[in-house]
Amino acid sequence: MEKIVFEKNDIRNYVKNVIAEKIEKLKNFIEFTQEASRDIKKTPKYDSMREEMQEEIYQMQKQLGALNDLKRNMAKVLTNSTERIQLGSLVITNKARFYISVSLGEFFFEGDRFYAISPESPMAKKMMGMKSGDDFTLNKIHQEIVEVL
């Protein structure tokens, strides 16, 4: 993998923005579904439809809670560079790029693929405390840490 300079703070801001956008979309969906639910005629014929919509609203509110947790957890993510991998580290291996922050999964930033992973994930746990030049194997995949930002 060729050496590319990444600005960790830009990646952190990007992840925060993705979470904020997801929260906003979900709030809009919840509001739309609540309005639609109120518009359904109050007759026994439509009770099951209203119940399904209420269940959908409940599920979206649970998702919203999880997204708000991600947003809160992003506030704890460090921005300073360190030699050893910790919360907030941007880890470049010979196979992938990992941002140890929150469990957001795969995302693309400026054309490059990254994985935002939680410090509790098996991958992050395996890498914690390591530094450039160290290597590890997880799920039979061997990786070498090229750079820690």
Side-chain angles (χ1 to χ4, degrees):
M1 206 178 278
E2 70 182 68
K3 184 156 175 141
I4 305 169
V5 177
F6 295 108
E7 188 59 49
K8 186 164 69 168
N9 212 37
D10 291 345
I11 293 170
R12 181 177 190 269
N13 288 335
Y14 179 80
V15 169
K16 287 172 73 175
N17 287 339
V18 167
I19 294 168
E21 287 172 9
K22 287 182 178 220
I23 288 172
E24 197 54 41
K25 279 183 188 172
L26 204 49
K27 283 180 178 178
N28 289 337
F29 282 142
I30 291 170
E31 188 178 320
F32 174 80
T33 307
Q34 285 173 330
E35 284 178 28
S37 176
R38 284 190 286 270
D39 290 343
I40 293 176
K41 294 179 182 170
K42 295 208 186 287
T43 65
K45 183 177 168 183
Y46 295 103
D47 281 350
S48 64
M49 189 182 300
R50 260 196 314 281
E51 283 176 26
E52 285 177 29
M53 291 176 95
Q54 282 306 116
E55 179 61 28
E56 187 67 29
I57 290 167
Y58 172 72
Q59 293 302 326
M60 286 190 285
Q61 286 171 333
K62 278 177 46 177
Q63 289 174 4
L64 185 61
L67 285 169
N68 281 321
D69 287 346
L70 287 183
K71 184 178 176 180
R72 270 190 299 282
N73 290 339
M74 272 306 291
K76 300 173 191 169
V77 175
L78 309 170
T79 56
N80 55 328
S81 264
T82 58
E83 203 174 283
R84 296 203 174 266
I85 297 172
Q86 63 181 21
L87 177 66
S89 291
L90 178 60
V91 182
I92 314 297
T93 72
N94 61 329
K95 305 255 192 229
R97 299 170 191 92
F98 301 97
Y99 182 45
I100 301 176
S101 54
V102 294
S103 183
L104 192 62
E106 179 184 63
F107 69 94
F108 289 86
F109 179 75
E110 294 182 1
D112 290 304
R113 180 191 320 245
F114 290 85
Y115 297 93
I117 61 174
S118 159
E120 287 84 34
S121 70
M123 178 66 76
K125 284 182 176 179
K126 189 81 172 174
M127 293 189 294
M128 286 296 187
M130 292 183 164
K131 61 185 183 329
S132 291
D134 289 349
D135 58 1
F136 64 95
T137 302
L138 182 68
N139 298 331
K140 298 179 184 171
I141 298 171
H142 186 78
Q143 296 188 54
E144 182 181 331
I145 298 168
V146 177
E147 191 173 7
V148 178
L149 301 168

